[in-house]
Amino acid sequence: MIQRVLELAFGVSEAHERRPIRGITIEIGVLQQIMPAALEFAFEAVTRGTPAEGARLEWRMVPLEVRCRACDLHYTPPGDFWVCPRCASARATPVRGNELNLLQVELLDTSTGEDP
Amino acid sequence: MKINVVQRLLKVNDEIAEANRADLQEAGLVTFNIMSAPGSGKTTLIEQTISRTQGLLRIGVIEGDPETSIDAERIAKFDVPVTQIETAGGCHLEANLVRRALKGFDLPNLDLLIIENVGNLVCPASFDLGENVKVVMVSTTEGHDKPAKYPNMFRKADVVILNKMDLLPYVAFDFEVFREYIRKLNPDAALIDVSCVTGEGLDAWLLWIEERLAQESARQVP
């Protein structure tokens, strides 16, 4: 997953005069069950020795929101079992919480030559 | 300088999965993605499915494992087309690997393609391969709490197969607790309890396949 993030980030860097990557922001939905600590560890390991070494990894967790398939109510289940507070149906579709997105790449601003 | 991107990491996989899905549909076959922890009995279930439908159903199999072609060799004994994908340590199959494997099959001459995913109750749930049906297997020796621990996987299942029912008397597996977890996570999933060793429940599995194939062909545009 981190490699995928880096591939995309390097693509952005290539499109901008290959400016070095200083930061990457990703968005992870809670349903993806990804541990931030594992992410940080993997990021540090994979970026070592690359133009992205030393870059900051930021993540935003997206909370779970589901739509009840029986009555259309949007709600946030408190636990792993999704029970509609209005009609008690267990059938629901995630509306938010499945995200796995690269949001932003921060590149070195070479006009100042310094890290912002 | 900050560049806003908003790029889905799984975009490429999903696009290839959709291409797989379209090709498989055009060839007129139904595709199962069988997922489970290692050792639940996926390959044995496939063997039993093939041997009990020989002459009735034309089946092709794609096997996925980190190493070896042990599973593909087992299936090859049944004289059905089979391809082994070795992921070299990868813990799940992805759409691009399956797409490459599809090239080796005469798809229009198959009724059912069974993809046996890498043994893993976590990652495979996130990677669409282009299948029509997600089969999640678990066995009585793994404990009845697996659905609670791996809700994502069980929630996505079209059918849950509980294998090794012959060992139920010897393990602390509470069938009612298990069934309740499944009902709460995924009330629409079929639950079929089987033993690939004694044959118990396999008729129900074959009936489920038959019904599902009929459903899918009714859905597909002629």
Side-chain angles (χ1 to χ4, degrees), chain B residues 34-217:
Chain B
I34 306 188
M35 300 175 280
S36 82
S40 297
K42 294 186 289 301
T43 313
T44 309
L45 180 72
I46 297 174
E47 285 174 329
Q48 287 294 317
T49 306
I50 293 171
S51 73
R52 286 158 188 265
T53 58
Q54 250 164 0
L56 301 167
L57 217 54
R58 299 167 303 172
I59 298 178
V61 180
I62 293 178
E63 286 288 345
D65 288 291
E67 303 278 349
T68 82
S69 57
I70 291 173
D71 287 353
E73 286 163 31
R74 283 172 62 179
I75 302 299
K77 296 199 180 98
F78 292 84
D79 201 25
V80 300
V82 55
T83 294
Q84 176 81 51
I85 299 175
E86 281 182 60
T87 64
C91 58
H92 58 270
L93 287 180
E94 299 194 9
N96 63 326
L97 296 173
V98 169
R99 190 158 188 78
R100 215 179 299 156
L102 288 180
K103 296 197 195 332
F105 291 87
D106 181 12
L107 296 176
N109 279 319
L110 293 177
D111 302 309
L112 174 63
L113 178 68
I114 302 179
I115 303 174
E116 181 183 333
N117 216 312
V118 176
N120 180 344
L121 274 180
V122 181
C123 313
S126 298
F127 291 87
D128 186 8
L129 303 177
E131 74 273 24
N132 305 109
V133 175
K134 283 182 164 62
V135 181
V136 176
M137 264 188 101
V138 63
S139 64
T140 57
T141 53
E142 295 172 62
H144 51 255
D145 55 3
K146 292 303 158 293
K149 291 187 179 181
Y150 300 91
N152 222 15
M153 174 67 78
F154 285 89
R155 223 191 291 279
K156 294 189 175 179
D158 292 292
V159 56
V160 175
I161 311 248
L162 177 63
N163 191 22
K164 307 190 188 178
M165 290 300 287
D166 54 302
L167 298 181
L168 193 59
Y170 309 106
V171 295
F173 184 95
D174 190 327
F175 186 78
E176 289 310 320
V177 171
F178 175 78
R179 190 183 12 214
E180 189 55 18
Y181 278 145
I182 300 289
R183 199 190 61 77
K184 277 159 64 168
L185 279 174
N186 190 347
D188 294 324
L191 172 54
I192 307 179
D193 42 283
V194 307
S195 162
C196 287
V197 162
T198 66
E200 169 192 343
L202 290 179
D203 282 342
W205 165 235
L206 294 176
L207 189 61
W208 191 90
I209 295 179
E210 200 185 303
E211 286 172 354
R212 191 60 193 233
L213 256 57
Q215 254 175 49
E216 293 289 335
S217 66

Side-chain angles (χ1 to χ4, degrees), chain A residues 74-95:
Chain A
H74 285 224
Y75 66 96
T76 295
D80 281 323
F81 299 108
W82 300 352
V83 181
C84 180
R86 187 157 71 190
C87 74
S89 171
R91 294 174 176 83
T93 307
V95 165

